Amino acid sequence: MVKIFFRKKWGAALVVLLLATLVFFYNLGNISLWDPDEPRGAVIAYEMIKNSDWIHLRYNGRSVTENPALVKPPLYYWSIAAVSALRGEVDEFSARLPSALAGIGTALFVFFLGARIFGARTGLFGGLIFISNHMLFEQARSAEIDMTLAFLITAALFLFYYCYHGYYQKNRLYIAYAALGLAVLAKGPVGVIVPLLVAFLYLLSQRDLKALGQIKLPAGLMMILLIASPWFLLEGSAFGMEFFFRQNFERFFHAFDHLQPWYYYLVKLSVHFLPWTLLLPATLVYGFRSGKEKNPGRTFLWIWFLSVLVFFSLSESKRSLYIVPLYPALSLLVAEALDRISEEKDFSSLLPWVKGGGLVFSLLLVVAGGAVAWLAATRFPDLARPAVLFIAVVLATSFLLTRAIRKGEGRWMVTTLLASAIGLEILMAGIVYPAIDMKSRSSKKLCRMVASKIGEADLGCIGFHPPSAVFYINRERERPLIDFKRDLDAGVAFLQQPKTVYCLMDRKIYESHKDRLEGISRKVFLPGLPLKGWKWDVVFLTNGKDVGEEEKIYL
């Protein structure tokens, strides 16, 4: 029996590993880095390698402390730089690979934690739910830091629970604390505050605060400091003051951006957890009904989920990616209800709640299909083919799901949800996102045109400075852009130099001062402008001969 159990357990783990690899790696490097967040990390990693300086973070040739939006710890930048150094260049694949690997690792932790608490099959469902919800699909394929943070927090909490419930080993606890030290290097204090809060509340729920001594908390905190503090000390006080006081303390209590109401995450979670939002009502009902069953693991997961949700809801500054660390716990809570539904043991009692969620989800599918059809017909006619495929999958899913719920067929409902969720992700990664990238989001081709035209000449920017331009142009010619922000006088002085220079300028600024600029510059026509993506409505100017005339280039 033991051999059969482990065979099933490791077989299920292999299924999670293979599907996570497929979903998170498929077509990963064939979509350009999208503004604003993705190219920033790639630029910083590129300059680490270029300058052989992995301590002082630089962006476009200048310290990140000059741009508060870039003041983040170095772990994700280090990981991009390490992968890129091995591959020989910083590109889309190397920038996203750390997130994809973190997504796979987190999915495996979700499976093994679920197997430990509920059994291998629930663990399998939890891993698949984690892989197939929309938020994790986005984050595990994005060159952003939050998937790495979720992986490290999940690893630490998994080891804490594993050690507390009968598998205590000091070395495993120290590995958990090492993960928290790296989490601080990934995102700052939140990387240690959130998991320690979860652990404390769980021990409190078990009336076992004396276990705080057993988990070696003082030694663990010392290990976290030893791992995280050296880099902050080497980077300098300017970074530390900006990061700890403004980007963390002030942002939490007196937000200066991303201000949202207290219910923001409740709304976002219902959208980003699709398609499993369908089962949230049933999960809540099942959680209340099973509350009398003594399962400390279920209590641990609810504390994990609610602690992260409430903690970030208390902050004035809110972004949907901040709560990525709660998705492992939520995936397992839904997986338990899903397991019962698939067995049809409790499906009849949960059926009204499943029907309610299914009705809402089906309505959302219809709205999504209609929105895609409208966009394809009016704004993106070139996306008609992927739009038709998307709508076909949506309609098929809606039909099969409604049929399974109406007939009370739990296994068919689970099969439909899993197959459609993973199928839609493959469709998005393979067809929809590449089409959107090519037609409206990718600035790579435009940047190559600009870099090819200007050679080693200086390039200035006025009212225009998207990170994708910094990455793709600087990578082509290894020279920083000169950012004049919105200072037109400085830009005019730049264009009045005797040497040939070039300038990318926001079109509205150009049109407002066209008479002044035509006397000192001429436009260079770039096919594809204005790009429909992020802030790419610009004009391309140069000084020199024949000012006031337009030059055309097609590359």
Side-chain angles (χ1 to χ4, degrees), residues 320-357:
S320 56
L321 51 79
Y322 290 169
I323 60 169
V324 169
L326 66 72
Y327 281 82
L330 181 59
S331 296
L332 285 174
L333 290 169
V334 173
E336 187 188 13
L338 187 68
D339 190 14
R340 299 303 181 269
I341 291 171
S342 69
E343 289 181 340
E344 300 183 0
K345 290 179 179 177
D346 295 322
F347 190 46
S348 58
S349 62
L350 293 176
L351 187 58
W353 300 97
V354 174
K355 283 184 174 179

Side-chain angles (χ1 to χ4, degrees), residues 460-463 482-497 501 503 505 509-510 512-513 516-517 520 541:
C461 297
I462 302 175
I482 303 171
D483 184 15
F484 296 107
K485 301 188 184 302
R486 303 187 72 84
D487 188 346
L488 182 64
D489 292 335
V492 167
F494 173 74
L495 287 168
Q496 288 177 326
Q497 294 180 88
V501 296
C503 181
M505 182 179 296
I509 295 177
Y510 177 81
S512 298
H513 304 276
R516 182 180 180 187
L517 291 166
I520 58 172
L541 304 174

Side-chain angles (χ1 to χ4, degrees), residues 449-467:
M449 291 180 184
V450 171
S452 175
K453 175 63 180 177
I454 66 180
E456 293 303 310
D458 287 337
L459 175 64
C461 297
I462 302 175
F464 166 82
H465 199 249

